[in-house]
Amino acid sequence: MIGEQPESPANAYHSPYDQDWRVLGGLAVTLVYLGLMAIYISAQVGWTAFSQLSVERMGSFLEGAFAPLAFLWLVIGYFLQKKELRQNTDAMNLQFVEIQKSAEQAVVQTEAMARSELHQRRESFLKIAEVVHNQLGTVVGLLYLSSQMAEGNEQRVPAEKLAELWAQLTRNDPDIFSREMLRLMVLSSEQYHYKLLFGTEIRTRHTENFEHTFERLLNAARACDEDGMITDALMGSAHGNFYRRIQELRKNPPAGFTFGVYDFDPDSREGDLPVL
């Protein structure tokens, strides 16, 4: 509206009557109107005659005389209320902006905390994974020892080679026995694969120990690995490929074998390729 000054949201809680030109104008118009009414009564009626009017006639006169003033202040009050409502709206908009900013900051802080927590979980996992990886290497080493140093095995591994494999394991190469087991599987039949893993109760126990420990490691990796890179690296390692082969043979044993039944020679290697 012409003549109105825009209100800042920061002043939204100020009184609507503070320095408002409508109130000042209304007071001025009221004073002028009262002055003109006094002049009119003095010139046309006289104060003595006016004071002697009956209550009914004086009430009718005052009702008609003050009706314009009543309408004037009604209009002024309307605009003042409109101004106050606008100020309240501005204040609520300002509060909404502040709340929105606070909500955005809370979201940013929550995301930062989540990233920090994920980073901490990942660091903790990597430390634990190193220990578990070595443990898995030892388990596969025991499985390898059980199958390749058995009394009935005609192709027993020389003690010197076995000692060298264990030395490599202790020199921070935990995958050495898994690689060796995978090499044996490449050079042997599927029947012997099953015997390597489940040929005796001891081998079955070592295999299940490896399987259970590796599954727990995978679950821990998935909990701190949003993009799946750590999980893929685990599955792509020698331990991971060995674990995958265990899963395949457990679900689909070769013909003539039943899981948990040991009615065969665990060290016979019919149909194998020559071991290099």
Side-chain angles (χ1 to χ4, degrees):
M1 183 176 293
I2 299 176
E4 286 191 19
Q5 297 297 325
E7 293 291 335
S8 171
N11 299 325
Y13 293 105
H14 291 179
S15 171
Y17 299 99
D18 291 346
Q19 300 179 352
D20 193 289
W21 66 271
R22 299 180 189 84
V23 176
L24 297 177
L27 290 174
V29 171
T30 299
L31 291 175
V32 171
Y33 186 82
L34 291 176
L36 292 175
M37 187 185 299
I39 293 172
Y40 173 79
I41 293 173
S42 178
Q44 299 296 326
V45 180
W47 289 103
T48 302
F50 180 75
S51 62
Q52 294 176 354
L53 290 175
S54 63
V55 175
E56 292 80 5
R57 294 184 64 187
M58 183 176 289
S60 298
F61 173 78
L62 294 176
E63 181 180 358
F66 283 97
L69 290 179
F71 180 75
L72 171 66
W73 284 103
L74 177 64
V75 174
I76 292 174
Y78 167 77
F79 283 108
L80 290 177
Q81 186 178 28
K82 182 179 178 182
K83 177 183 177 181
E84 183 178 4
L85 290 174
R86 186 174 65 251
Q87 290 174 331
N88 291 337
T89 302
D90 292 339
M92 287 189 291
N93 289 336
L94 183 61
Q95 290 177 350
F96 173 76
V97 171
E98 293 300 325
I99 292 173
Q100 194 173 28
K101 289 180 180 179
S102 299
E104 291 174 354
Q105 291 176 354
V107 171
V108 172
Q109 291 176 351
T110 301
E111 291 177 349
M113 291 174 61
R115 287 194 297 269
S116 176
E117 182 184 358
L118 180 63
H119 180 70
Q120 292 176 357
R121 290 207 312 267
R122 187 171 296 177
E123 285 188 346
S124 300
F125 167 79
L126 292 176
K127 293 178 181 178
I128 296 172
E130 183 177 357
V131 176
V132 175
H133 217 64
N134 291 327
Q135 179 187 357
L136 290 170
T138 302
V139 173
V140 184
L142 294 174
L143 178 61
Y144 183 85
L145 183 65
S146 174
S147 62
Q148 300 309 301
M149 299 300 291
E151 291 294 334
N153 192 343
E154 298 178 355
Q155 302 183 28
R156 294 180 63 179
V157 176
E160 295 78 9
K161 180 178 180 180
L162 185 62
E164 177 60 25
L165 292 174
W166 281 104
Q168 287 185 249
L169 177 67
T170 58
R171 289 197 296 265
N172 200 25
D173 187 7
D175 288 357
I176 180 63
F177 281 110
S178 288
R179 291 198 301 272
E180 191 65 20
M181 292 292 283
L182 291 170
R183 187 186 74 86
L184 286 173
M185 290 181 174
V186 170
L187 299 174
S188 59
S189 64
E190 189 176 50
Q191 287 76 10
Y192 188 64
H193 299 178
Y194 185 85
K195 294 176 183 180
L196 280 173
L197 303 178
F198 306 107
T200 66
E201 293 184 4
I202 294 177
R203 295 178 197 178
T204 301
R205 186 161 59 249
H206 290 321
T207 301
E208 289 180 339
N209 187 12
F210 176 89
E211 187 178 21
H212 176 67
T213 303
F214 192 83
E215 285 176 352
R216 292 172 61 190
L217 184 64
L218 280 178
N219 291 333
R222 295 187 184 103
C224 64
D225 186 26
E226 290 182 339
D227 51 15
M229 292 181 62
I230 298 177
T231 306
D232 291 343
L234 286 174
M235 292 302 298
S237 67
H239 283 342
N241 284 286
F242 187 56
Y243 168 79
R244 189 180 292 111
R245 187 55 180 152
I246 292 172
Q247 295 278 293
E248 292 172 354
L249 288 171
R250 179 187 291 279
K251 294 177 182 177
N252 301 295
F257 291 91
T258 302
F259 182 77
V261 177
Y262 309 102
D263 55 354
F264 51 84
D265 181 358
D267 298 306
S268 62
R269 307 175 77 164
E270 295 86 355
D272 289 0
L273 297 174
V275 178
L276 303 178

